[in-house]
Amino acid sequence: MSELVFYVNGKKIVEKNPSPTTLLADVLRYKLKLTGTKVSCGEGGCGSCTVMVSWFDRSTSKILHYSVNACIVPICLLHGLAVTTVEAVGSTKTRLHELQERLVSGHGIQCGFCTPGMVMSMYALLRSNPVPTELQIEHALKGNLCRCTGYRPILDAFRSFSKDSGCPMGDRCCRNKDKKNSSDVVENCNENKNESDMGKQELIFPSELQLSDVYDQQTLEFKSDEVTWLRPVCLKDLLLLKKQHPEALLAAGGTNVAFYLRNASREKPLVIIATTHITELRSFEENEDGFLVGAMTSMTLLENKLMSLIDKHSETKTRLYHSLLDALCLFGSPQIRNRATIGGSLATASRLADVNVLLLAAGSHVKIASTDGEREVKIHDFFTGKSTTCLKPNEVITDVLLPFSTQDEYCGFYKQSPRKDLTLADVNAGLLMEFEAKNSSTVKNAFFAFGGLSSMLAVAKKSSSFVIGRKLDGSLLNELMLSLANELDQFVSGDDAKSFKVAVAQGFMFKFFLKISHQRFPKLEFLRLFKEEERYLLSSQADLQQKHSGVQVYDIITNQSETDSVGQPVPHRYAKQCATGEAVFIDDILPSQGELYLTLVTSTKASAKILKIDPSKALAMKGVVGFLDHTSIISSNKTGLYLDEEIFATEKVDFVGQTIGAVVAESHEIARKAARAVVIEYEELQPITTIEDAISHNSFHSWPGDMGAINYGNVSKAFGSCDHVIEGELKVGSQEHFYMETNSVRVVPKGEDGEMDIYCGAQFATGIQMVVASALNVPCNRIVVHTKRMGGAFGGKEFRSYLVTLPSALAAHRFNRPVRCSLERRQDMQITGYRRPYLAKFKVGFNNDGKVLALSLDMYSNDGFHPEISPIFMAQSLFYSDNCYAIPNIHVRGHLCKTNLPPTTAMRGAGVPQGVLICEYWMTKVADFLKKPQHKIREINMYRGGDVTFISVPIEDSMTRCFDEVLKQSNYEQALVNIENFNQQSAFLKKGIAVTPVKFSPGLPPSWCMAGAIVNVYLDGSVLLYHGGVESGQGLHTKMIQIASRVFDLSIDKIHISETSTGVIPNSVTTGGSSGTDLNGGAVLDACNQLMARLKPIKDSNPNGKWEDWVKTANEQKINLSASGYYSHAYKEDFDWKTGKGRPYSYYTYGSAVTQVEIDCLSGSYVILKVDIVMDVGKSLNPAIDVGQIEGAFVMGTGLYALEEHLFGANGHLETSGAGKYHIPTISSIPLEMNVSLLKDCGNPQAVYSSKGIGEPPLLLSNSVFFAIENAVIAARRQAGLSPDFAFNSPATTKQIQSACGLGPQHLLKSLVT
């Protein structure tokens, strides 16, 4: 049959001769126009594309619902299935689903791009389990990434559905207070939620699919020029097809098939055989040897079956199954586990597959079939080499035997990865040990298997044999560690992480040895373990999962008009649209007739001469319309802030990802395929890629004017009078924005006078307008830029968005047709800029009391090949080199390294996160040198209210108030004592604590501090508001509406913001620097005040009238009901670099944080146990939005300082590209407890309604995570007898933590073995 039938949102879809290369997300978005399903990473690694798939399981007569990643599901897998997207869950046009309502009211939405995926993951869980536990809810969301919220409000909103939910405040719940006398509000109190009305509006499963098995029994064959898709429905037919097509790929869950389908370099057509409907491969059989599982069994179904077996049989018999559950708990994501199969995992023979390594250790058997017959293979013989197995070309896996454990057999699974979820292992292990007889301590058999050490699964045969016949005691453990180190060392030769991997593998063995010792001999005398270590060793992965919690405390205004929303925790204005998938992002805009699609052709070399550009193969492809390069330029080929970049490279490329050309075609798919066919020939040159290379080659960007250094006081003299002087270095890694919506643009030519509409998700609309007008050689008044919203930005869409906009505009001009370009995730990461990495070299002078007297500091930043706005951001680093400390003598210098990497760009904090971390780093070194508490040294050196910084900015007393308050709220002194006691008792788990303060000035360069707004009042009383800022999830539009609501004393429901447009607000500045509310809010306030002044005589004459009455009268009196507002900072002073005089900032936002962590010294993994934050945000315009910004920024900063590795190779290619290799925080990465308080009784006369900018300051507080980890490492080093003076750079990754601890199994043996 060549007809594909499936259902989407209850509607039957019939596709005749579908292309096997088509993915579900493409059909939903481009054919069915269901754009609520987003595509962010394109590889199933972020969850934005999550939908629910349902099918009728005829073996159980039940309808099953599960979440899947639509971006990697081939459409041909869906025959006879039902798909549900966010559009069918709820709508603003009818009613929202209860889970959408709770997400909105719980403030779990910021940019909203990830929200439909979150909704669908939760929806699929509730359809399967209407009353889940809180941990089940957290588990269901582990496949969904969010870069904005920090996850806490999402979890809080969804956990209200759990059977064990309650108010996070416990006895202090606001329901237990006299609300009239209490202004403390706890956000999202679950006690105030109504019971769910789940089930009242659920989509009914199609009766056709339930009543008839016709689609289950149909064989399928679909063909395209490149791929043939076959689906048999019985094992016999499968074996015949495999014989006919021995090279064919088998698609079971299809989690890897999408990557093959996208491979454009195939030499011959690809054949795929889908095994989804072969019932023989979905069978289960329990026998005396174990559990026989069909190869088509999904990991999720396997989990359920294993739990049933564990409930049915004894603990001793199901030890392997317990370990398998540990492996499955850490396997991929729920969406991946729902599709991935045990047979598929074995067939890939991946060295990192979690299940494979455990089955190898357990001695599983694999059943194999072909037309020649059946055979059974021991798994030890199944894996034969690097990604190879013993399978013959015509064979398939049919079953896998999971053996029962014997009474004297023990096994364990261990995994170490950069983060807990959605990540492949650095190292994993399946370990098995069997003893002679009951109560015997003599080892009868052992098998130790490891993944990640080499190109294939590694079996430690010598060490396995070494323990056989030996007794379980301290001597054996000591000798086994040495044997293992020697044996594994051979597997990882040539690996730059060799020592780390071997040490982690040893740590696994150490934990396994201790675990089975305690299980088999609970009273064993030669071991002593602290209770926390015992729990850690003996608990399953599921039992180790802990719920996340937090409290958010702030004041709200109670004595104001009901329609005045300023100061109220109003949900994000467009949260409902985001929750329902109705919010329109750039690539959601429906295409017009004749619309074209553009894909960039970029350099694959870091430094090379271009010898040849040949697009002939691309141009010959059907559907390709044209190719653009430097010969297509209309005006100047120069662009960028300093006109030092080329739109299209001409003779030379200077970094990987530099734009050489662009292919224009009739679809995304054709354009992307054709772009890969363009041939570029190069003559390679030697690139410079690191800061060290740049220093050695004296390769630097020039500073404009006198910028680049600040000399305050007399540093040389001060060093001569100090009691102590220390020197050191620190490296600060770079960071990728990883906004969920990649850079996208849609350009529509108007057909006359060179007019053009540009729809883009960019922070700087005027900047886009100017560069496009220049490139097209038309005045700016012909180019109108529209931005409705952005799916995250964080600075990444401020100055580099022209990379997609300019080629698209040139193509639209050339072909006179609409053109859109939406970057794929990997290309976006390679070319659009990132946070600049730093190298700092410092010298600090201080006295015995800890008072710092002098600082000499050199900061080197790797800025890539073009400086872009690097001088401004390095200036920020210099301005914040003091952080919150009064240092009387400072000499700081910045060096802008020029390398053959893509240019860096703005990112949340803009140079301040690096400068502040460096400051806090040397401050901790001062404390450690003096052997004094770090928080005391910070207190001694902190500014006080009324002080003035070395750049002449006055300090408010709220800085020290935040610091004192957070110490009090966190019970810091007692926590410090508790942690010291814990570290003295615990051998391999160590805790750390740190407190850090922050000051941050929201704002832009003084010449940019201005904004405009237009407010229109219509005859029905509704208000349309325009301003120059752009909504990226930070709640800017919501706050602008709140400001207008106060001035007009009007309900926010009457006020609307449609978009940001250069056609309405000219000459707007960029939305960044946490200044959006200050600037645009001032302009909105001005415009509203003008209108109210015009309406005042009418109100005075009719004081009892309504708003609508006054508006009607004003119109009758011919009063203008449109006002243009303008705002600029009254403060206009700039910093004079030559004299060191001036005041670059008007005010600071302050905060402090205390962080507590626990690290595993053997693996380097860590848990953030608790974070307490106190922030001064002035008088908050919207405390819920401000708390959301604080939490989201803190979690992003945690990624910067303690997780995210952004690494370029020596060839200039980004090695950590894509969601699979670049690891932003997941739900499991956030603090187990996160408490946020807004400081009371604060104000700010320099911003609208005494508020303060908040988007960036909290990010800096997450350096407390870094220092808490470092302090835990110091405790480990102290136990190991190592120096506390060691190199520890940012980010504090698991590799660095494990290596720095220096606390290997050999050290631990001394403290654990008696």
Side-chain angles (χ1 to χ4, degrees), residues 96-127:
L96 267 64
H97 191 281
E98 182 67 16
L99 73 87
Q100 294 167 322
E101 288 279 10
R102 296 191 191 185
L103 192 59
V104 170
S105 62
H107 309 287
I109 299 168
Q110 289 188 23
C111 86
F113 197 86
C114 73
T115 305
M118 293 282 183
V119 167
M120 293 311 301
S121 287
M122 185 64 188
Y123 182 74
L125 172 65
L126 293 177
R127 289 299 298 268

Side-chain angles (χ1 to χ4, degrees), residues 936-1041:
K936 293 295 184 183
I937 297 301
R938 289 185 165 94
E939 282 182 317
I940 289 170
N941 287 285
M942 283 184 74
Y943 288 113
R944 297 296 185 266
D947 288 349
V948 177
T949 69
F950 79 113
I951 53 172
S952 305
V953 183
I955 297 294
E956 303 164 63
D957 65 0
S958 54
M959 172 192 283
T960 51
R961 286 181 59 206
C962 286
F963 194 79
D964 294 341
E965 187 67 22
V966 82
L967 291 177
K968 178 183 176 182
Q969 290 188 14
S970 65
N971 199 6
Y972 184 89
E973 296 281 2
Q974 186 59 53
L976 191 61
V977 171
N978 294 342
I979 286 173
E980 289 175 351
N981 291 337
F982 178 93
N983 289 339
Q984 288 176 3
Q985 298 178 71
S986 178
F988 65 87
L989 296 179
K990 299 295 180 184
K991 291 184 178 181
I993 186 171
V995 56
T996 56
V998 67
K999 67 176 186 351
F1000 184 98
S1001 176
L1004 299 170
S1007 61
W1008 290 11
C1009 290
M1010 54 191 175
I1014 289 179
V1015 179
N1016 299 325
V1017 180
Y1018 294 91
L1019 294 181
D1020 62 353
S1022 63
V1023 178
L1024 180 61
L1025 191 159
Y1026 286 95
H1027 62 90
V1030 177
E1031 177 63 54
S1032 63
Q1034 81 280 45
L1036 180 59
H1037 284 354
T1038 307
K1039 288 184 175 181
M1040 297 304 100
I1041 290 173

Side-chain angles (χ1 to χ4, degrees), residues 19-36:
S19 170
T21 62
T22 303
L23 302 175
L24 174 57
D26 297 329
V27 171
L28 295 176
R29 292 181 55 78
Y30 303 129
K31 182 167 184 177
L32 302 180
K33 313 303 181 188
L34 298 172
T35 56

Side-chain angles (χ1 to χ4, degrees), residues 1123-1182:
S1124 175
Y1126 186 78
Y1127 174 83
S1128 66
H1129 268 315
Y1131 158 73
K1132 292 180 168 50
E1133 188 178 358
D1134 205 346
F1135 187 77
D1136 188 327
W1137 289 86
K1138 189 172 185 179
T1139 64
K1141 305 295 182 182
R1143 177 181 165 183
Y1145 306 128
S1146 57
Y1147 73 88
Y1148 288 122
T1149 296
Y1150 304 101
S1152 289
V1154 171
T1155 295
Q1156 301 177 49
V1157 303
E1158 180 181 279
I1159 67 171
D1160 177 347
C1161 301
L1162 296 176
S1163 66
S1165 61
Y1166 64 89
V1167 176
I1168 304 174
L1169 300 173
K1170 184 185 179 187
V1171 171
D1172 291 279
I1173 298 173
V1174 176
M1175 291 293 303
D1176 163 26
V1177 299
K1179 294 186 184 302
S1180 175
L1181 296 176
N1182 187 319

Side-chain angles (χ1 to χ4, degrees), residues 232 234-246 250 273 275 278 281 368-374 393-398:
C234 67
L235 181 60
K236 179 181 178 181
D237 289 347
L238 169 64
L239 299 180
L240 286 172
L241 287 173
K242 199 67 172 80
K243 181 177 181 180
Q244 297 169 17
H245 306 281
L250 299 186
I273 303 175
T275 61
I278 299 174
L281 300 184
I368 297 168
S370 70
T371 52
D372 298 328
E374 299 180 353
N394 65 330
E395 290 182 322
V396 299
I397 302 171
T398 59

Side-chain angles (χ1 to χ4, degrees), residues 701-713:
H701 296 294
S702 299
W703 280 93
D706 297 309
M707 293 177 69
I710 303 175
N711 201 347
Y712 176 81

Side-chain angles (χ1 to χ4, degrees), residues 319-622:
R319 285 176 183 148
L320 170 61
Y321 303 163
H322 281 280
S323 295
L324 272 171
L325 287 178
D326 283 346
L328 292 171
C329 183
L330 302 176
F331 183 98
S333 66
Q335 293 93 321
I336 296 297
R337 288 193 293 273
N338 289 336
R339 298 292 300 173
T341 64
I342 187 170
S345 178
L346 290 172
T348 61
S350 170
R351 68 190 183 97
L352 299 174
D354 298 330
V355 172
N356 293 4
V357 72
L358 182 58
L359 295 183
L360 181 61
S364 300
H365 287 216
V366 181
K367 288 192 172 184
I368 297 168
S370 70
T371 52
D372 298 328
E374 299 180 353
R375 63 189 180 113
E376 187 170 322
V377 179
K378 293 181 179 179
I379 198 166
H380 304 156
D381 301 319
F382 180 79
F383 299 116
T384 57
K386 179 181 178 181
S387 300
T388 60
T389 69
C390 70
L391 284 173
K392 298 175 184 177
N394 65 330
E395 290 182 322
V396 299
I397 302 171
T398 59
D399 302 278
V400 182
L401 176 66
L402 309 180
F404 286 128
S405 302
T406 67
Q407 180 175 318
D408 302 303
E409 192 175 53
Y410 299 83
C411 59
F413 170 79
Y414 300 90
K415 178 179 181 178
Q416 177 54 37
S417 54
R419 68 181 178 198
K420 199 163 189 178
D421 306 313
L422 275 174
T423 314
L424 293 174
D426 286 326
V427 186
N428 57 18
L431 307 175
L432 180 137
M433 200 176 288
E434 184 182 6
F435 293 88
E436 289 286 356
K438 186 176 182 180
N439 298 326
S440 171
S441 62
T442 302
V443 179
K444 177 182 179 181
N445 184 38
F447 199 95
F448 307 143
F450 299 90
L453 300 181
S454 63
S455 60
M456 57 184 291
L457 292 172
V459 177
K461 295 180 180 180
K462 292 181 180 178
S463 298
S464 300
S465 300
F466 173 77
V467 300
I468 296 175
R470 298 288 301 274
K471 290 186 178 295
L472 192 73
D473 56 21
S475 175
L476 175 61
L477 179 55
N478 186 40
E479 293 177 43
L480 176 57
M481 290 297 102
L482 296 174
S483 170
L484 201 61
N486 292 330
E487 185 171 8
L488 297 184
D489 189 72
Q490 303 171 18
F491 286 109
V492 290
S493 59
D495 193 319
D496 58 356
K498 177 177 180 177
S499 59
F500 162 74
K501 290 187 174 183
V502 171
V504 168
Q506 282 184 289
F508 291 161
M509 183 61 70
F510 184 82
K511 294 175 186 177
F512 180 58
F513 196 101
L514 296 185
K515 177 179 178 179
I516 60 177
S517 298
H518 275 259
Q519 284 182 329
R520 190 167 180 83
F521 307 108
K523 297 182 180 180
L524 200 62
E525 295 182 356
F526 78 86
L527 290 172
R528 55 174 178 268
L529 281 176
F530 185 43
K531 60 181 181 180
E532 289 294 320
E533 294 173 307
E534 186 172 338
R535 180 192 66 82
Y536 183 74
L537 286 173
L538 301 183
S539 298
S540 68
Q541 283 295 332
D543 290 338
L544 286 174
Q545 305 295 311
Q546 299 183 59
K547 295 184 294 186
H548 294 82
S549 65
V551 173
Q552 306 80 43
V553 180
Y554 47 77
D555 283 348
I556 60 171
I557 304 171
T558 56
N559 56 344
Q560 65 186 38
S561 165
E562 290 184 1
T563 54
D564 178 3
S565 63
V566 168
Q568 303 300 320
V570 177
H572 193 291
R573 171 62 182 83
Y574 303 103
K576 291 183 178 180
Q577 291 88 331
C578 294
T580 58
E582 296 166 20
V584 178
F585 295 86
I586 299 302
D587 205 35
D588 298 338
I589 300 173
L590 296 180
S592 56
Q593 187 174 3
E595 188 154 332
L596 300 175
Y597 300 81
L598 181 143
T599 297
L600 299 178
V601 177
T602 60
S603 169
T604 59
K605 307 298 179 183
S607 181
K609 294 178 181 179
I610 298 175
L611 302 181
K612 181 181 180 182
I613 302 174
D614 182 6
S616 57
K617 290 184 180 179
L619 291 171
M621 292 182 178
K622 183 179 180 181

Side-chain angles (χ1 to χ4, degrees), residues 559-693:
N559 56 344
Q560 65 186 38
S561 165
E562 290 184 1
T563 54
D564 178 3
S565 63
V566 168
Q568 303 300 320
V570 177
H572 193 291
R573 171 62 182 83
Y574 303 103
K576 291 183 178 180
Q577 291 88 331
C578 294
T580 58
E582 296 166 20
V584 178
F585 295 86
I586 299 302
D587 205 35
D588 298 338
I589 300 173
L590 296 180
S592 56
Q593 187 174 3
E595 188 154 332
L596 300 175
Y597 300 81
L598 181 143
T599 297
L600 299 178
V601 177
T602 60
S603 169
T604 59
K605 307 298 179 183
S607 181
K609 294 178 181 179
I610 298 175
L611 302 181
K612 181 181 180 182
I613 302 174
D614 182 6
S616 57
K617 290 184 180 179
L619 291 171
M621 292 182 178
K622 183 179 180 181
V624 173
V625 175
F627 176 77
L628 281 68
D629 61 9
H630 65 91
T631 63
S632 310
I633 295 298
I634 298 170
S635 179
S636 171
N637 194 32
K638 291 294 184 180
T639 190
L641 290 178
Y642 302 106
L643 295 178
D644 60 343
E645 300 185 53
E646 293 182 316
I647 300 174
F648 296 115
T650 53
E651 299 176 350
K652 186 176 179 290
V653 290
D654 299 300
F655 53 89
V656 175
Q658 184 173 350
T659 304
I660 296 175
V663 171
V664 184
E666 293 175 353
S667 74
H668 274 309
E669 183 180 359
I670 294 171
R672 289 167 179 169
K673 181 180 177 182
R676 292 191 290 265
V678 176
V679 176
I680 313 290
E681 294 182 5
Y682 305 92
E683 179 185 326
E684 287 196 65
L685 306 173
Q686 183 62 41
I688 295 172
T689 58
T690 67
I691 290 176
E692 291 77 8
D693 285 345

